[in-house]
Amino acid sequence: MRLFFVCTGNVCRSPMAEALAQKHPGVEARSGGVGAAFGAPMSEGARRALAAAGLALPHHQSQEPSAEHLAWADWVLAMTQSHKEELVSRFPWARDWVLTLGEWAGSKEDVEDPIGSTDQVYAATMAHIDRLIEKGLASQGPGPRYGSAAGADHAGYLLKDRLLSQLPAPVLDVGTHDPSSVDYPIYAEAVAALVGQGRAGVGLLVCGTGIGMSIAANKLMGVRAAAVSDVSSAHLARAHNDANVICLGERLIGPVVAEDALREFLATAFEGGRHSRRLEEIRALEDASGHGP
Ligand code: RB5
């Protein structure tokens, strides 16, 4: 089970929770803060509280939660209701697996901030978090998973809505749902994170051309998004490129061609063989660029 803990600065409560959760076999844990500066170490109080319990998180660096973190986690566990509200306003598509730690454990209690308090307060906060994690792990199964994820901007939402019933269920529709102008990278990021992190099996993105969506989606790890214009390009995107996100342009192709292309995309298997080696080469490019200059 993957757990992502969230507090404000990612220096006290959420890293303590990360270290406590990792004690449990089969649990992977990470953490972030909705107001975190990047790269701060854990607070001394949190470090001492963990050390007293024989625990440590020596390489911790504070960070803000990203779309990929939210897609990765079975459950995103916020220390307070206000952290949860902030997360849901940034990542509305994740609302079904963002809870407070208290809710996840079956109660309403928030975990209050110990920052600047005594070692006793830190120890009590850590014991509170530990109790809630134990209770949650005893009662909760894996978080929701999706057959597919779909997204569009104002220039593509009509076609996206028309294609939803063709997609593998359950479908997570991240929007948009009306013609007000929106920025396509927001929807590309959501669908790409869901597919790239394995939470959704396949992705559909629609904008005016399919091009902006594919450029944006391909920035995320594990995503092979193809802008497709007909049945042949849909077939080859799967057979040769093992594409996991199909991008369509509502302003460029008609709805029947789009339906046929999507049907072909979903029905075609990756051929493997010589194409596998090329995908490995793409993965190596992804790894290399992830490290920056
Ligand atoms: C929006 O006007 C349009 O630029 C967008 O939908 C898409 O075509 C971008 O690639």
Side-chain angles (χ1 to χ4, degrees), residues 64-132:
E64 286 210 51
S66 70
E68 283 175 310
H69 291 137
L70 270 84
W72 171 86
D74 277 286
W75 301 104
V76 178
L77 300 171
M79 294 298 147
T80 66
Q81 277 295 335
S82 72
H83 297 132
K84 174 180 159 181
E85 281 159 23
E86 179 60 28
L87 285 165
V88 171
S89 88
R90 289 188 203 180
F91 308 101
W93 44 269
R95 67 171 70 80
D96 286 348
W97 64 96
V98 177
L99 302 174
T100 68
L101 177 57
E103 288 168 345
W104 186 67
S107 65
K108 288 264 179 252
E109 55 205 285
D110 279 354
V111 177
E112 299 307 335
D113 193 354
I115 193 120
S117 303
T118 61
D119 281 3
Q120 285 72 17
V121 173
Y122 268 97
T125 305
M126 193 180 86
H128 186 195
I129 293 170
D130 201 23
R131 242 182 359 257
L132 293 174

Side-chain angles (χ1 to χ4, degrees), residues 94-249:
R95 67 171 70 80
D96 286 348
W97 64 96
V98 177
L99 302 174
T100 68
L101 177 57
E103 288 168 345
W104 186 67
S107 65
K108 288 264 179 252
E109 55 205 285
D110 279 354
V111 177
E112 299 307 335
D113 193 354
I115 193 120
S117 303
T118 61
D119 281 3
Q120 285 72 17
V121 173
Y122 268 97
T125 305
M126 193 180 86
H128 186 195
I129 293 170
D130 201 23
R131 242 182 359 257
L132 293 174
I133 291 174
E134 302 265 357
K135 281 166 85 177
L137 285 175
S139 59
Q140 298 280 355
R145 294 274 189 286
Y146 301 90
S148 53
D153 69 358
H154 55 285
Y157 79 99
L158 287 173
L159 180 58
K160 180 261 290 170
D161 287 352
R162 182 183 173 118
L163 296 174
L164 288 177
S165 63
Q166 263 184 258
L167 288 170
V171 181
L172 180 52
D173 178 0
V174 307
T176 191
H177 303 290
D178 63 58
S180 342
S181 182
V182 290
D183 295 338
Y184 62 82
I186 294 167
Y187 301 90
E189 181 189 40
V191 168
L194 289 161
V195 174
Q197 295 303 314
R199 186 168 217 113
V202 70
L204 165 69
L205 286 167
V206 190
C207 62
T209 60
I211 296 170
M213 284 296 197
S214 63
I215 292 173
N218 280 317
K219 300 294 178 199
L220 279 82
M221 294 291 284
V223 175
R224 291 176 301 282
V228 153
S229 52
D230 52 24
V231 171
S232 301
S233 51
H235 179 85
L236 290 168
R238 287 286 312 128
H240 288 191
N241 311 113
D242 199 17
N244 49 15
V245 178
I246 179 171
C247 304
L248 297 169

